[in-house]
Amino acid sequence: MRKTARYASLAVSGLLALSSLTACANDAASSTSSGGKGDGKGTKVKIMVGGLDKVIYMPAMLTQRLGYFDSEGLDVELLSEPAGVQAETALVSGQVQGAVGFYDHTLDLQTKGKAVESVVQFSHAPGEVEVVASRKAGDIGSPKDFKGRKLGVTGLGSSTDFLTKYLAVKNGVDVSEFTPVAVGAGPTFIAALQQGSIDAGMTTDPTVATILDKKAGKILLDMRTPEGSQEALGGPYPSSSLYMQTDWVNGHKETVQKLANAFVKTLKWMAGHSASEIAAKMPADYSQGDKALYAEAIKSTLPMFTKDGVMPANGPETVEKVLKAFNPNIKNAKVDLKKTYTTEFVEAAK
């Protein structure tokens, strides 16, 4: 019964993701298109982000706000879906040219016959936090206690789903012994935690900061730093990135180089500015009325970001190890890691 329900949920999620693309594109075109250099002649690129307001994907909107797309002669339209798996769907279906989401999707897609590669690696840690509902804090002290629990993820098949499964398996809990629940992020995640729809879950800032402020939950595992990634996953975990279909990259190298130039400038800018200065550059509504809390959320997550967009050493191997622990498609397949990322463009940008 659980397996049937899960497949049904996946099917519905896929349909919703695809049906919402047109509406999302129309909504975003007027508010998030960079407009080239003001004359409409910039090279047009559509990028789907797995949650524009998530701090882990902050470089996407920040690059636009800093004007770096414009300065490269790009007209970038940023679109948003609540989960990285939906950004992946938009990319492979040809709705967009790029996706900002977790690098681990490139490995998963390779086993499904899709050639996709990370061209700018934003991070060397997941930026994710496993939080436990306050009412369950005494019962769940580690992933060993996941058995029989309802665990929140942004979406089924998302990177939060992947990481949750790995943490469970690593700690002796089979993936069939707990129930993943797709609850998105932000208000929907918090409501699920408060109302008992989930006992614990994996999410990012600014959701984490809001949960702690509301005393709705407590941190179980913090993977917002390289040290936290090392402790939980055994190595650096390259997560948020700009990834694109390999054929498109090879056929549009000049455009991809411009995107890499813009994003590397942003990563360097972030490394030289405070959380408050970064927060001030972001859209006002991202702070949800609490600028200080939003700045704190950025500060907590900043350690996850690279300064140059380069794939961290041994990062792909850590991701493969994590996915092989629970994903039968990858466990039984030979993944060519060299085809899942390229440093060609970020090296040139430096």
Side-chain angles (χ1 to χ4, degrees):
M1 288 295 289
R2 179 181 297 169
K3 188 176 291 185
T4 301
R6 191 174 300 171
Y7 289 159
S9 179
L10 277 167
V12 172
S13 296
L15 288 171
L16 286 174
L18 290 172
S19 65
S20 65
L21 285 173
T22 302
C24 189
N26 290 338
D27 290 343
S30 61
S31 61
T32 61
S33 177
S34 65
K37 294 183 178 180
D39 55 11
K41 296 180 181 179
T43 302
K44 182 75 174 180
V45 182
K46 289 184 180 181
I47 298 176
M48 183 65 77
V49 184
L52 264 172
D53 58 351
K54 295 177 183 177
V55 178
I56 58 170
Y57 299 143
M58 184 171 60
M61 179 57 75
L62 184 58
T63 300
Q64 189 177 85
R65 303 283 286 190
L66 291 171
Y68 291 158
F69 290 138
D70 287 356
S71 64
E72 290 291 333
L74 296 171
D75 180 8
V76 174
E77 185 177 349
L78 296 175
L79 310 176
S80 185
E81 285 287 0
V85 67
Q86 293 165 338
E88 170 197 296
T89 299
L91 178 69
V92 298
S93 65
Q95 299 282 342
V96 296
Q97 289 76 53
V100 170
F102 268 39
Y103 160 72
D104 54 22
H105 290 291
T106 66
L107 281 73
D108 188 51
L109 286 168
Q110 189 182 111
T111 68
K112 298 171 182 175
K114 304 290 185 181
V116 175
E117 60 188 11
S118 165
V119 295
V120 184
Q121 194 59 49
F122 297 161
S123 59
H124 47 193
E128 301 283 354
V129 177
E130 184 72 23
V131 294
V132 179
S134 294
R135 70 185 188 286
K136 294 290 185 179
D139 301 326
I140 304 176
S142 80
K144 293 179 181 179
D145 301 319
F146 282 175
K147 187 174 181 178
R149 306 296 182 180
K150 294 174 292 184
L151 304 178
V153 297
T154 53
L156 300 179
S158 67
S159 295
T160 52
D161 190 19
F162 291 164
L163 287 171
T164 299
K165 287 176 178 175
Y166 173 73
L167 291 172
V169 171
K170 181 186 177 185
N171 288 274
V173 180
D174 191 81
V175 294
S176 65
E177 294 182 307
F178 67 90
T179 304
V181 183
V183 291
T188 56
F189 185 101
I190 297 169
L193 200 67
Q194 291 176 319
Q195 295 168 9
S197 301
I198 57 175
D199 302 311
M202 191 173 292
T203 190
T204 61
D205 277 311
T207 306
V208 176
T210 304
I211 289 169
L212 297 179
D213 186 59
K214 291 177 176 288
K215 295 180 171 51
K218 297 182 178 180
I219 291 177
L220 180 68
L221 287 172
D222 192 339
M223 296 177 283
R224 291 176 291 189
T225 66
E227 294 79 14
S229 177
Q230 179 71 41
E231 182 179 350
L233 306 172
Y237 196 92
S239 56
S240 55
S241 65
L242 170 68
Y243 63 86
M244 313 178 89
Q245 296 203 59
T246 301
D247 284 348
W248 199 90
V249 171
N250 292 337
H252 301 81
K253 288 200 170 188
E254 184 178 350
T255 299
V256 177
Q257 186 61 63
K258 290 178 179 180
L259 286 167
N261 293 344
F263 280 124
V264 170
K265 285 180 190 175
T266 297
L267 291 169
K268 289 180 178 178
W269 188 91
M270 287 168 57
H273 290 77
S274 69
S276 295
E277 290 171 324
I278 295 171
K281 290 290 184 179
M282 300 300 285
D285 61 332
Y286 282 20
S287 67
Q288 298 179 9
D290 194 330
K291 294 181 179 179
L293 187 63
Y294 182 57
E296 187 62 30
I298 291 176
K299 183 179 179 180
S300 297
T301 305
L302 275 179
M304 73 174 281
F305 294 106
T306 67
K307 297 179 181 179
D308 53 13
V310 175
M311 176 66 72
N314 301 319
E317 289 78 8
T318 304
V319 173
E320 183 181 29
K321 178 196 72 174
V322 167
L323 295 182
K324 279 184 176 294
F326 67 86
N327 188 321
N329 292 333
I330 293 180
K331 185 176 184 178
N332 301 317
K334 182 175 176 56
V335 178
D336 188 344
L337 292 177
K338 292 182 180 179
K339 292 183 178 180
T340 61
Y341 71 96
T342 177
T343 60
E344 172 187 350
F345 302 100
V346 291
E347 293 288 355
K350 290 197 298 181

